[in-house]
Amino acid sequence: MGVIATVATVVLAISFMVFVTFFGRLPALRGTPISWLHKVIWVHFPNVLKSIDRRVTGGRISPACVRFGNYMMYDRHPSVLIFFLLLLSIGEILYLPTAWPQLTPLVKLTGTISIILPYLFLYLAAFTDPGYITPANHPQEMSRYPYDFTLFHPGNECHTCHLLKPARSKHCSVCKRCIAKNDHHCIFINNCVGANNQHWFILLLLSTAVLTAYGGILGVYLMAKRMNFFFPYWALLPWNANKGEGMPLKDWLVIWSWGFQNQVGMGAVTLLAGLTSPLVWGLLGYHAWLVYCGTTTNESMKWSDWSYEMREGFAYKRKMHGQRQKDLKVEPAWTRWPAETEQILVRTESGQCPAEDDQTLPGYGPWEAVWGLKDVENLYDIGFWDNLVDVLMPGYNFRDEPSGKRQRGGLRQRKKRRARRIYLA
């Protein structure tokens, strides 16, 4: 059992490190042990190593390690993408020769589909233009979303691309481009996740989650079937062994060890799939939650910052005219989005309410103190199904253009949409 335990420990450790790396900075996990571990692993521990390096070598090793780390995490290269492809392909090479002859035609068909889809969606997510903003498509990108005067304000220019920033866009320091509806840069696809490939990325997560769960469950079934053939008194659960009388845990684990070693290729991949599947399902669940909330990873970070300002008493809001006169120098006259902002949210350095007659700030009426995200609306959350349409059909027109020419989304304008309250904590 020693080899199996070692492999399981290594896989669990890697999975846990990946989980902490990707989830430790999420707003929902701030102040939790996961966030604390992220700081220990990626902030405090490197600082300790730098201190030791300064004392031992005069700081000659740290700069090289920092450059390598920055290259791996913050530069565009296919290393992690290649690793992901190798992990998929080598796992299948080890798994299939043992499993394939034991499968029924239906399982072979569904298994083939589940194997092919991750490669397809990986290719589409990695090589689809995520939404690069260029001078040629800038007017079109400006009309994708209206400014919400909370997270995104008109008139801000990207200092690198020298273009006005459309609402929900962000400049990616890795891709060196502004990305429409920038969610995040993903090293697993060596590309940004943006407006044009977000649906492929989510489908990649879904197909990979299904593949790992399918492979893990099927592998356990096939190994259990073989172990039952050689050890009739054994059962998948130790208390069900010996016809319900149970068996010592040590003996039960010894038979499991025999099962893994008897079919070592399939057994190792089954173990890997079973241990990594929860991580993939967790990533999928997180992105499904973002779709439900009508936000992105980048925007969730912004909302988290606003939440802190609100708790400290530095955030204020007031109403905006739905049919206000827009400044066409910095705002689009029309967007495909079915809602317009009805509020402006500002932060103050002193915590005191802005003057009601301040002409430098848009909006009208008195300012109200905001103490939590439940008191503000997210312009980009128009209900789960419409949020999903926006992800799956980039560029879908939710309302007609001013010319009166009916667009494919024109019929959806019948029901007036209103931005929903923030659900992020």
Side-chain angles (χ1 to χ4, degrees), residues 95 153 157 197 213 266 323 342 362 397 405:
Y95 186 96
H153 294 264
E157 180 180 301
N197 70 341
M266 186 180 73
Q323 302 297 326
E342 298 179 357
N397 282 355
K405 180 180 177 181

Side-chain angles (χ1 to χ4, degrees), residues 132-356:
Y132 295 133
I133 300 173
T134 65
N137 68 8
H138 184 259
Q140 178 183 351
E141 294 300 339
M142 287 289 288
S143 66
R144 188 184 288 271
Y145 298 103
Y147 292 100
D148 64 350
F149 286 83
T150 299
L151 304 183
F152 304 99
H153 294 264
N156 292 320
E157 180 180 301
C158 175
H159 299 297
T160 304
C161 299
H162 303 292
L163 294 170
L164 284 174
K165 291 183 177 180
R168 309 192 81 179
S169 69
K170 183 177 183 292
H171 185 87
C172 176
S173 60
V174 179
C175 295
K176 311 296 191 292
R177 308 281 286 276
C178 280
I179 311 296
K181 195 189 178 185
N182 192 337
D183 188 278
H184 71 290
H185 184 89
C186 179
I187 59 175
F188 284 95
I189 64 173
N190 193 32
N191 198 4
C192 272
V193 177
N196 294 340
N197 70 341
Q198 185 183 12
H199 54 305
W200 299 130
F201 177 75
I202 291 176
L203 289 172
L204 170 63
L205 290 178
L206 176 61
S207 59
T208 306
V210 170
L211 177 63
T212 54
Y214 197 157
I217 294 170
L218 183 61
V220 168
Y221 168 77
L222 294 176
M223 286 193 297
K225 184 178 178 181
R226 186 169 180 81
M227 287 185 283
N228 266 322
F229 178 79
F230 286 96
F231 307 96
Y233 55 88
W234 182 87
L236 188 60
L237 300 174
W239 51 84
N240 290 336
N242 284 326
K243 297 181 180 180
E245 295 181 6
M247 67 184 304
L249 181 61
K250 181 180 178 181
D251 296 341
W252 183 79
L253 291 174
V254 167
I255 295 174
W256 258 118
S257 178
W258 176 89
F260 277 106
Q261 295 176 20
N262 183 256
Q263 305 173 93
V264 65
M266 186 180 73
V269 176
T270 297
L271 184 64
L272 177 66
L275 293 176
T276 56
S277 188
L279 174 63
V280 185
W281 282 103
L283 284 169
L284 175 63
Y286 172 69
H287 280 275
W289 174 250
L290 291 179
V291 173
Y292 174 80
C293 294
T295 189
T296 64
T297 302
N298 173 51
E299 290 166 15
S300 70
M301 300 292 183
K302 294 177 180 288
W303 282 121
S304 179
D305 293 338
W306 267 116
S307 179
Y308 175 79
E309 299 284 352
M310 293 171 186
R311 289 196 303 270
E312 295 297 315
F314 295 141
Y316 292 86
K317 70 173 183 178
R318 72 174 174 180
K319 295 179 180 180
M320 292 274 286
H321 288 286
Q323 302 297 326
R324 64 186 178 85
Q325 187 70 30
K326 295 183 178 181
D327 183 356
L328 300 184
K329 294 180 181 179
V330 293
E331 288 185 83
W334 172 88
T335 66
R336 66 185 184 89
W337 205 240
E340 292 286 345
T341 186
E342 298 179 357
Q343 67 183 15
I344 176 175
L345 195 63
V346 298
R347 57 170 59 90
T348 60
E349 296 294 334
S350 63
Q352 296 184 356
C353 180
E356 185 174 337

